[in-house]
Every structure is written in C-alpha cells, then in structure tokens.
C-alpha cells in the first residue's frame, strides 16, 4: 500500500503518521519527491482503515499495490534509483556505465592488460568471472580464490571497480574487495543466496534467468531489497526461445518494461544475449537506444584462445569501436 501526502506536510506530521503505521507492525519506506512524499507500507495492511487514512488532512490519496514486488516497485519510489558502484561511479537515473572484461579471469597479465584497454575506451568497470557456472563439469570452472586475488590486483593497478559472479554464499567472505556482486542467470532464483546478499550492503547485479519472466526477475530483486539492501541493478542477458541461431534471444523490450515497473537501473548484456561477437555491437547500440542504464560486454585480448565464451568476446579494438558508437547513440537519444 502507498499513501501519497499533500505538498507542504511538515517532518513532524509525516513522522507521526509513520509511527502510527509502525505501531501496526508495518514496515515503512519514505520516498521524498520534489512535490510529494510517498509512504510505502509493507506487511499486513489489512489492519489499515483506508477511509480513515484518506480522511486525514495531510493525506492526498491511498493506493493498494497489487504487484507482489513492493520495494522494487516504481509506485513506491517514483524517481530512478542511482546505485553507487564504487570508485565514485554510479549507475541509474541518467548515470550510464559500461562493465567490460573477459568471461573468465585467466591471469593477472590478461586482466590488467585488457582492463587498461577497456578503461582507455571509456569502460570504467572491469568484469571477469572467478567462479564460472559452466554447463559441462569438464569445462574450465574458474580460478576461484586465486581469480578474486587477480581481480583485486587488477583493480589496484587500473583503478576500475570490479564486478564478478558469486555462486555459493559460503564464498561471500572472499568478496570483500569486490565492488559489485553478480548473481548469474542460473542463480537468479537461488533464494538463499539472494537473502544473504540482502544482508550485505554491496551492489548486487542480478541477471535475468534463461527462462524467467520480468516479474520473476523483480521478485528476485525483492528478495535482496527485503533484507535491507537497496543496491540492486538488473541485467537483461537474453532468454531461451525457439530461435537457436543466437545463443539466447536478447529481449530488448525488457528494458523499457522494467523502467516502467521499477525504479532500479537496468543494464543489458548483448554478449550472452547473442553469443556471437559480430552481433554484440548492433545489439549494444539497440539496448542503449532502448534506454539501458549501462552495458556488460565481454572483451578478451585473444578471443580465439579464451578459456570460456571466446565466440562472443570482442577484441580490445572492437571494443574501442563499440564505445565510440555507443557515445553517438547516447548523444542521439538524449538530445
Ligand atoms: C557471465 O556474465 O559470464 C555469465 C555467466 O552470465 P550469465 O549468468 O548471464 O550466463
Ligand atoms: Mn561469459
């Protein structure tokens, strides 16, 4: 349920009302807009007498929110959320960032070398998987703790905040120096993992599951937010459809749909979304035109010899070109 207050309500009046809600056992979220204050209520709102609430002189209107996602709902929080992703960088509400790097962390030389090239092109966050969710147990599984150590050293050398995937909550202590924790598509509905990440205050990047609806993605965000961690970024990375030419089908309509439904930032990953390096550039541009708050792009110094996802990885030169064109599309859509 949300209560929209009239303009000019004093802090004391608002706090008295919030205390009354809290006395009914409700969780209260206050979102102060330019003109209106919105009070979001979570819990058993059946005890709230709507007509009594509507009759209060400071209340403009009261609405029940039918969607099961509350914290993530734009009705709760009209303005875009802006997430601080480390190194003074932010994503959302007009702040656009590109997260790039290899699929897997392979060596320090690889990460530092590619990180520098990515940064020079304007990719200010560095990614690389240390724990890899591979379809086959015989494929490269990642360097685990050693990979996280390499990411930390790369961060120290290039200054880029780092983004990497967690697969098992027991590994969380190893993620101390990680700036953005990624929950991969295969773990989007690992609810225990999401609950634990809700207890941290680190930004969590949640990728859409291979066969999950947008509402399910929002419910996953809700798991993290319900624990008190509001630092959530959503990522459209393609879903499984009957089309097999591309690795997945990048659902670009997810970007404006999610922007309608939620205040959380939405980024797109055309690398996993297409599975083919030649398709990454056009789909990255299309995602930017559709309003993405950022991109995740796989870049490898030598894609042919990558230990994972070489076919969809761009070379640093191709990434330079992508970044130049992304800037042009952003200028065009923002003007
Ligand atoms: C990745 O980002 O390397 C990854 C495994 O992504 P996804 O979970 O989207 O497949
Ligand atoms: Mn990958």
């Amino acid at each position: 349920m949300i209560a929209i207050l009239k303009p000019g309500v004093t802090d004391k009046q608002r706090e008295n009302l919030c205390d009354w809600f809290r006395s009914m056992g409700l969780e209260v979220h206050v979102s102060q807009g330019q003109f209106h204050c919105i009070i979001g209520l979570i819990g058993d709102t059946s005890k709230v007498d709507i007509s009594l609430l509507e009759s209060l002189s400071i209340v403009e209107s009261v609405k029940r929110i039918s969607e099961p996602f509350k914290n993530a709902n734009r009705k709760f929080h009209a303005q875009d959320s802006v997430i601080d992703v480390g190194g003074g960088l932010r994503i959302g509400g007009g702040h656009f960032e590109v997260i790039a790097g290899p699929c897997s962390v392979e060596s320090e030389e690889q990460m530092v070398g590619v990180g520098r090239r990515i940064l020079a092109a304007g990719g200010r966050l560095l990614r690389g998987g240390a724990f890899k969710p591979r379809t086959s147990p015989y494929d490269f599984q990642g360097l685990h703790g050693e990979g996280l150590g390499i990411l930390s050293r790369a961060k120290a050398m290039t200054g880029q905040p780092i983004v990497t995937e967690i697969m098992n909550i027991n590994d969380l202590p190893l993620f101390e120096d990680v700036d953005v924790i990624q929950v991969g598509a295969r773990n989007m509905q690992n609810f225990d993992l999401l609950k634990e990440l809700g207890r941290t205050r680190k930004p969590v990047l949640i990728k859409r599951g291979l066969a999950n609806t947008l509402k399910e993605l929002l419910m996953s965000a809700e798991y993290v937010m319900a624990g008190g961690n509001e630092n959530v970024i959503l990522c459209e990375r393609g879903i499984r459809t009957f089309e097999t030419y591309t690795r997945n089908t990048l659902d670009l309509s997810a970007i404006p749909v999610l922007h309608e439904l939620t205040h959380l930032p939405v980024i797109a990953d055309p690398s996993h979304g297409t599975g083919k390096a030649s398709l990454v550039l056009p789909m990255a541009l299309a995602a930017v035109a559709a309003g993405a708050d950022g991109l995740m792009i796989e870049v490898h110094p030598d894609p042919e010899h990558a230990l994972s996802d070489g076919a969809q990885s761009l070379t640093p030169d191709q990434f330079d070109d992508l970044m130049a064109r992304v800037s042009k599309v952003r200028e065009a859509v923002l003007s």
Side-chain angles (χ1 to χ4, degrees):
M1 179 181 283
I2 55 170
I4 302 168
L5 305 190
K6 288 186 180 155
V9 169
T10 66
D11 291 355
K12 185 156 185 351
Q13 285 173 311
R14 189 194 58 225
E15 266 323 292
N16 285 344
L17 185 62
C18 290
D19 285 344
W20 182 53
F21 291 135
R22 287 188 194 104
S23 73
M24 287 186 259
L26 298 169
E27 199 184 306
V28 177
H29 289 255
V30 177
S31 163
Q32 184 63 58
Q34 207 183 342
F35 302 109
H36 286 98
C37 172
I38 297 177
I39 301 183
L41 302 172
I42 300 181
D44 179 7
T45 51
S46 61
K47 293 177 211 132
V48 181
D49 180 341
I50 295 195
S51 355
L52 173 64
L53 189 54
E54 277 171 339
S55 70
L56 300 180
S57 62
I58 60 169
V59 173
E60 186 163 290
S61 61
V62 181
K63 282 193 198 120
R64 284 214 178 269
I65 295 189
S66 49
E67 295 93 346
F69 51 98
K70 310 287 179 197
N71 285 284
N73 202 313
R74 194 178 274 286
K75 289 179 192 152
F76 234 67
H77 189 290
Q79 287 105 334
D80 292 337
S81 281
V82 178
I83 311 297
D84 186 339
V85 289
L89 305 180
R90 296 184 289 171
I91 296 185
H95 301 273
F96 178 91
E97 292 296 341
V98 176
I99 303 166
C103 180
S104 298
V105 175
E106 298 170 8
S107 70
E108 186 167 325
E109 187 195 1
Q110 170 219 28
M111 288 309 300
V112 176
V114 84
R116 288 198 169 124
R117 285 291 308 264
I118 287 167
L119 186 60
R124 298 199 287 182
L125 288 103
L126 182 63
R127 65 148 283 153
F131 294 91
K132 294 305 306 174
R134 305 304 299 281
T135 302
S136 166
Y138 308 116
D139 286 342
F140 178 61
Q141 302 286 308
L143 295 179
H144 297 182
E146 188 194 336
L148 291 175
I150 292 173
L151 280 169
S152 278
R153 292 197 292 281
K155 170 179 168 174
M157 287 194 234
T158 71
Q160 288 157 299
I162 49 180
V163 182
T164 195
E165 178 168 352
I166 191 163
M167 283 171 52
N168 189 321
I169 201 60
N170 297 330
D171 296 325
L172 189 58
L174 300 173
F175 282 64
E176 197 65 34
D177 195 34
V178 172
D179 296 279
V180 179
I181 302 182
Q182 176 172 322
V183 174
R186 290 153 194 84
N187 271 309
M188 187 203 95
Q189 287 191 312
N190 181 337
F191 301 119
D192 286 341
L193 182 60
L194 297 171
K195 276 189 214 165
E196 275 308 316
L197 293 173
R199 286 190 245 281
T200 74
R201 292 297 174 264
K202 284 212 188 255
V204 180
L205 173 72
I206 309 180
K207 298 186 91 177
R208 182 179 182 183
L210 276 71
N212 285 109
T213 65
L214 296 176
K215 292 226 169 139
E216 286 165 344
L217 174 60
L218 290 169
M219 291 312 291
S220 295
E222 195 70 22
Y223 262 95
V224 177
M225 299 176 88
N229 185 359
E230 307 212 319
N231 302 310
V232 177
I233 300 169
L234 304 172
C235 180
E236 165 57 39
R237 49 77 71 203
I239 48 173
R240 185 160 285 181
T241 66
F242 55 80
E243 181 56 72
T244 53
Y245 185 78
T246 46
R247 181 178 180 185
N248 291 291
T249 298
L250 188 67
D251 176 10
L252 285 180
S253 63
I255 300 165
V257 170
L258 288 169
H259 277 145
E260 274 179 22
L261 295 174
T262 181
H263 51 89
L264 297 173
V266 182
I267 71 164
D269 171 354
S271 304
H272 294 88
T274 62
K276 286 190 166 74
S278 64
L279 303 178
V280 172
L281 169 70
M283 295 314 282
L285 300 183
V288 170
D293 298 298
L295 293 171
M296 174 172 271
I297 307 286
E298 284 188 343
V299 183
H300 194 284
D302 180 10
E304 275 180 38
H305 295 101
L307 294 184
S308 59
D309 287 352
Q312 66 193 35
S313 299
L314 300 187
T315 61
D317 286 348
Q318 289 169 327
F319 182 70
D320 288 346
D321 179 43
L322 177 139
M323 290 300 284
R325 298 207 204 185
V326 160
S327 294
K328 288 194 182 136
V329 171
R330 271 184 54 73
E331 275 165 33
V333 288
L334 293 176
S335 63

